[in-house]
Amino acid sequence: MAKTTHIAIVSSPGYTHLVPIIEFSKRLIKHHQNFHVTCIVPSLGPPPESSKAYLKTLPSNIDTILLPPISKEQLPQGVHPAILIQLTITLSLPSIHEALKSLCSKAPLTALVVDVFAFQALEYAKEFNALSYFYFPSSAMILSLLIHAPKLDEEVSGEYKDLTEPIRLPGCVPVMGVDLPDPAQDRSSEIYNHFVERAKAMVTADGILINTFLEMEPGAIRALQEFENGKIRLYPVGPITQKGASNEADESDKCLRWLDKQPPCSVLYVSFGSGGTLSQNQINELASGLELSSQRFLWVLRAPNNSASAAYLEASKEDPLQFLPSGFLERTKEKGLVVASWAPQVQVLGHNSVGGFLSHCGWNSTLESVQEGVPLITWPLFAEQRMNAVMLTDGLKVALRPKFNEDGIVEKEEIAKVIKCLMDGEEGIGMRERMGNLKDSAASALKDGSSSQTLSQLASQWECFSGNC
Ligand code: UDP
């Protein structure tokens, strides 16, 4: 009988960094049964209920070690969520090391796979004679930016956002400096330094597993594989998405039952990820825009906040529906449904009455939309979402991007215009067709195509390393 191959995984705090790396583990053990995965989970404050519920559903050959949470009091107040995530990992390093030591005392470790924020943990691989990998939960285009960041840092003077020409990353659609991820918007910031440091660590690993697939990003993936004569071993294994988790069974049922009553392809699903928020002013404009468009909609609403990522690590307890313009729910009751904070997104996108997705373009939402063949309206808020929006609109041409005015607001007329164009216009038809093709490519990549073959190759390399050739 083949020996068991042991893999350890280190996630980073936040539901949307935990789920994709564990879904990757599930896929690995489903197709390669002699693997055992231990997932080491750092957290900022007690792990959220959604994460705990999700971890309870794992099969027996995936173990989890929940590390002692880092308390919020140990961290600075009012800083960007990316800094909080990074600091949580830094403070968790001793317990990550302890967890690895205890694992290795029971069985030799073949590979250590760390989420991109947990890059400092990668150095432990050597100590425990294991191979080292990054799990990159975003696009190849973002990875390309990261890989080229040290060079860009040397070559470009001033802020990227002031550049008048787009940045051309090999094999990627050109991107303006203003659309680069948050950390690259202020080069004097601490978060930018972390960004460049992470970039340097990436190329030292034995490989990078990435949640994308060849047919979606052929240019970027090939260019990365050719970078400095194959310096990076890239393993595109996506699209890996969750199969649908829900926080509130009643609310989930409500959404799906309402969708059952709508005509095919008629509903615009509106959602800003697990924690994206809009200002009160923007909520008012969006409500008016939805109303003006006369299209059907399912809107996942959160209480307003002027900082778009405010609810990412900590949700507001206020009832969001009280922040809608007066009379809105009554006036739109024949056309729309507004739900508080959370909807069963994967099931919603897979429902045949959903025909469009107004999204903040988080990478998981993007991949879920691709897997269900739903074209998008892009409404990026923070992190790397603007770059995802550029890929979806200018590159893949499966999305429309509304214009923000100089105060950073999308006005109601603009909202209504893009909604009508996507849901009811010629342009929308072309987008839906292209998205349909991408959906088919995603399914084949996972079934027996590019991503499935890549995962098998990787699994064989790991088995060989553990003496199971
Ligand atoms: N999600 C969901 N219901 C919601 C909002 C989000 O199920 O109402 C899930 C969504 O399916 C996706 C994840 O939360 O898997 C959001 O991840 P993404 O990378 O798109 O954005 P982030 O939350 O990291 O900003």
Side-chain angles (χ1 to χ4, degrees):
M1 210 176 89
K3 281 197 299 189
T4 303
T5 301
H6 290 273
I7 309 293
I9 274 177
V10 181
S11 66
S12 64
Y15 181 72
T16 53
H17 277 265
L18 176 70
V19 172
I21 202 165
I22 294 198
E23 288 296 321
F24 160 75
S25 313
K26 281 192 192 164
R27 202 170 149 70
L28 175 72
I29 55 152
K30 184 167 168 217
H31 295 277
H32 306 275
Q33 274 134 17
N34 56 327
F35 276 74
H36 187 277
V37 178
T38 305
C39 192
I40 300 170
V41 186
S43 69
L44 171 55
E49 285 310 315
S50 53
S51 300
K52 283 199 276 189
Y54 173 74
L55 291 174
K56 278 195 194 133
T57 64
L58 299 183
S60 62
N61 39 359
I62 302 183
D63 284 334
T64 47
I65 301 179
L66 292 177
L67 298 181
I70 301 303
S71 91
K72 293 187 178 124
E73 288 70 49
Q74 287 172 269
L75 301 178
Q77 301 285 305
V79 294
H80 194 281
I83 300 250
L84 294 179
I85 293 175
Q86 193 64 71
L87 288 173
T88 303
I89 297 284
T90 307
L91 293 174
S92 300
L93 283 172
S95 37
I96 294 175
H97 185 259
E98 219 24 62
L100 287 170
K101 206 161 111 191
S102 127
L103 274 181
C104 291
S105 67
K106 292 176 205 139
L109 190 63
T110 296
L112 174 64
V113 182
V114 304
D115 179 80
V116 60
F117 278 102
F119 71 94
Q120 297 141 303
L122 203 69
E123 66 183 57
Y124 299 143
K126 266 197 223 101
E127 180 183 336
F128 298 111
N129 298 318
L131 296 168
S132 59
Y133 295 82
F134 275 108
Y135 185 80
F136 196 73
S138 302
S139 69
M141 181 167 168
I142 302 289
L143 178 61
S144 180
L145 175 72
L146 207 57
I147 297 294
H148 292 93
K151 189 156 168 259
L152 280 172
D153 189 55
E154 265 171 46
E155 287 175 358
V156 176
S157 54
E159 292 292 348
Y160 300 117
K161 61 180 178 220
D162 298 329
L163 293 176
T164 51
E165 286 294 312
I167 294 169
R168 293 174 196 279
L169 297 162
C172 301
V173 67
V175 59
M176 296 303 294
V178 284
D179 284 329
L180 293 189
D182 290 352
Q185 294 301 326
D186 175 4
R187 292 177 69 183
S188 61
S189 64
E190 189 186 347
I191 189 175
Y192 178 72
N193 289 336
H194 282 300
F195 183 73
V196 179
E197 281 311 303
R198 223 178 293 148
K200 291 180 185 156
M202 299 289 302
V203 292
T204 64
D206 289 306
I208 303 175
L209 321 184
I210 184 164
N211 193 6
T212 185
F213 61 105
L214 187 64
E215 294 73 10
M216 184 166 173
E217 298 191 88
I221 289 176
R222 296 224 162 87
L224 281 167
Q225 286 166 334
E226 284 159 16
F227 176 75
E228 296 189 358
N229 298 320
K231 190 170 183 183
I232 304 167
R233 292 233 182 127
L234 190 68
Y235 298 90
V237 291
I240 294 179
T241 54
Q242 55 161 336
K243 296 293 164 274
S246 89
N247 282 4
E248 302 272 347
D250 282 359
E251 284 289 296
S252 294
D253 273 4
K254 184 168 140 195
C255 292
L256 299 173
R257 269 189 277 116
W258 183 81
L259 285 173
D260 286 342
K261 292 191 215 115
Q262 311 307 318
C265 228
S266 67
V267 176
L268 178 75
Y269 170 57
V270 182
S271 174
F272 298 91
S274 62
T277 45
L278 304 178
S279 64
Q280 178 65 67
N281 191 359
Q282 186 63 84
I283 288 179
N284 298 343
E285 289 295 316
L286 179 51
S288 306
L290 285 165
E291 211 176 330
L292 254 180
S293 79
S294 310
Q295 301 295 313
R296 290 167 203 272
F297 63 87
L298 167 57
W299 181 5
V300 184
L301 181 68
R302 260 187 210 111
N305 200 303
N306 289 334
S307 155
S309 58
Y312 188 69
L313 290 171
E314 188 161 23
S316 153
K317 305 233 173 346
E318 287 174 298
D319 173 16
L321 269 61
Q322 64 181 301
F323 298 99
L324 285 166
S326 122
F328 173 80
L329 287 175
E330 183 55 29
R331 289 194 302 278
T332 57
K333 66 175 191 250
E334 301 298 327
K335 291 263 173 188
L337 177 68
V338 184
V339 293
S341 303
W342 198 261
Q345 179 161 307
V346 175
Q347 286 100 317
V348 167
L349 287 170
H351 198 287
N352 80 337
S353 65
V354 170
F357 181 11
L358 190 159
S359 168
H360 75 319
C361 303
W363 190 240
N364 296 300
S365 295
T366 301
L367 291 179
E368 286 157 11
S369 214
V370 165
Q371 279 193 298
E372 299 301 344
V374 180
L376 298 119
I377 292 172
T378 65
W379 191 306
L381 295 176
F382 56 91
E384 86 299 357
Q385 295 152 10
R386 289 177 296 270
M387 243 166 107
N388 297 341
V390 171
M391 182 212 287
L392 291 164
T393 49
D394 302 356
L396 296 166
K397 303 201 178 350
V398 293
L400 291 169
R401 187 170 183 180
K403 289 190 183 57
F404 287 69
N405 70 15
E406 59 235 26
D407 300 324
I409 294 286
V410 192
E411 292 167 15
K412 55 180 180 289
E413 294 79 9
E414 174 72 5
I415 297 169
K417 188 179 91 189
V418 285
I419 294 178
K420 279 200 254 183
C421 193
L422 185 81
M423 301 299 288
D424 207 15
E426 275 299 305
E427 232 179 317
I429 297 174
M431 288 182 182
R432 190 153 295 119
E433 245 176 61
R434 285 187 288 277
M435 209 32 150
N437 295 337
L438 207 52
K439 169 183 173 167
D440 295 343
S441 314
S444 336
L446 286 181
K447 190 162 170 262
D448 46 16
S450 56
S451 297
S452 146
Q453 290 163 16
T454 302
L455 185 61
S456 294
Q457 271 168 23
L458 181 67
S460 303
Q461 287 162 10
W462 284 349
E463 281 175 327
C464 267
F465 187 83
S466 65
N468 272 341
C469 278

